[in-house]
Amino acid sequence: MNQGIELDKVGRIVGGEMHLADIHLRLEPGSFNILLGRTRAGKTSLLRLMAGLDTPTSGAIRFDGVDVTRWDVRRRNVAMVYQQFVNYPSLTVYENIASPLRLAGKLSKQEIDKRVRDTAAMLRLEPYLGRLPAELSGGQQQRTAMARALVKEASLLLLDEPLANLDYKLREELRTEMRQIFKDRPAVIVYATTEPTEALLLGGRTAVLHEGRLLQVGPTLEVYQAPATERVGQVFSDPQMNLWEVEVAGAEARLSPEVVLPLSGHLRTLAPGRYRLGLRAHHLQLAPSSDTDVKLSARVEVEEISGSETLIHATHGKLSLTAQVEGIHRHPFGTQLDLYASPRRLFAFSPEGRLVAAPESTAQEAAHGSH
């Protein structure tokens, strides 16, 4: 009976340095799972343990109830795709895709041919089957590596930031195809990424990692909309979430000597005391979205153009503000401008960093991205 994969209190220490600590994670058969975390969060370490490339220092790994903790990669039915385009340079695309099937030695030549061509068609590689990897674009090389992993029909498919080395346009193109490529596969799929937007686009379930620890696991949209802690909110926001310390008294919170925030909606239940309010950067805007928005008079520190958007880093008194606004804007250092925050979009965290109140979000809102 398929029970999926279970990591039970898994830890890994290398040279006295903690890479992973007390990871408990259950991955259901046929599930799509995202490991979201910044660089050095422990994503690759965790993938390597699941693949059997490394062995945990503590804890157990079970596949369908069988303890495989000490099994090496050759004994596990696993396929892995890396950031680097890992292909055999002297083999054609066809032979690259066919290589794991030939190695297994279980299929006839006709069966191998059918499976290679079916997988190549799914990844739009048919025109390139006779070419060598060096004759391909970066996107085509990564498609080839993915095809080689998929053709095995392994019970566990691991993808370690597979789009990280592609240019922006290719990343967008492959991201939109990913969901279709992985749809209805019986394998457990684990996809590691540093990008919140990628996690939202791919869906499934997300496990948030930080400094080797698992912070929160759940349906991707739920984790985005209700981060259990301030740290999860930060990991699931790019650029980072604005965080402002406030004192709640009565039915209002004071953001600065000049700005008072009336508490309504989901914030109405906050008891008196200190909190940290979080606001994602794309909810801090140059114009109000409703008459309940709070105006923050700000001084521009620096601006960054990012594609068709502008990141404005500014200050309001002691508060640091980061706004992500559509279009190309140019505000020189020191420019005074007004930024608007919607109370409906604010998260409230306790002084210890636990979520106290979250906005009533919608799927449509999250589809804007984790900006």
Side-chain angles (χ1 to χ4, degrees), residues 110-121:
Q110 291 77 11
E111 287 171 317
I112 289 174
D113 184 67
K114 182 180 187 314
R115 210 184 281 184
V116 168
R117 292 186 184 280
D118 286 350
T119 307

Side-chain angles (χ1 to χ4, degrees), residues 122-195:
M122 182 170 60
L123 284 154
R124 296 192 284 123
L125 286 168
E126 308 106 306
Y128 314 107
L129 287 173
R131 295 190 189 179
L132 294 171
E135 300 171 306
L136 303 177
S137 70
Q140 290 157 358
Q141 288 187 55
Q142 193 61 310
R143 285 174 196 273
T144 302
M146 286 173 64
R148 197 170 63 252
L150 289 168
V151 80
K152 278 179 74 173
E153 297 186 354
S155 57
L156 175 60
L157 176 58
L158 305 171
L159 300 107
D160 191 5
E161 299 185 48
L163 309 185
N165 287 336
L166 300 177
D167 66 40
Y168 177 79
K169 189 178 176 188
L170 276 173
R171 269 206 313 275
E172 291 295 297
E173 189 180 301
L174 261 176
R175 259 184 205 151
T176 54
E177 292 173 22
M178 286 280 189
R179 293 176 76 159
Q180 196 57 39
I181 290 167
F182 299 135
K183 191 170 177 278
D184 301 328
R185 296 189 78 85
V188 172
I189 297 169
V190 185
Y191 187 108
T193 181
T194 59
E195 298 188 32

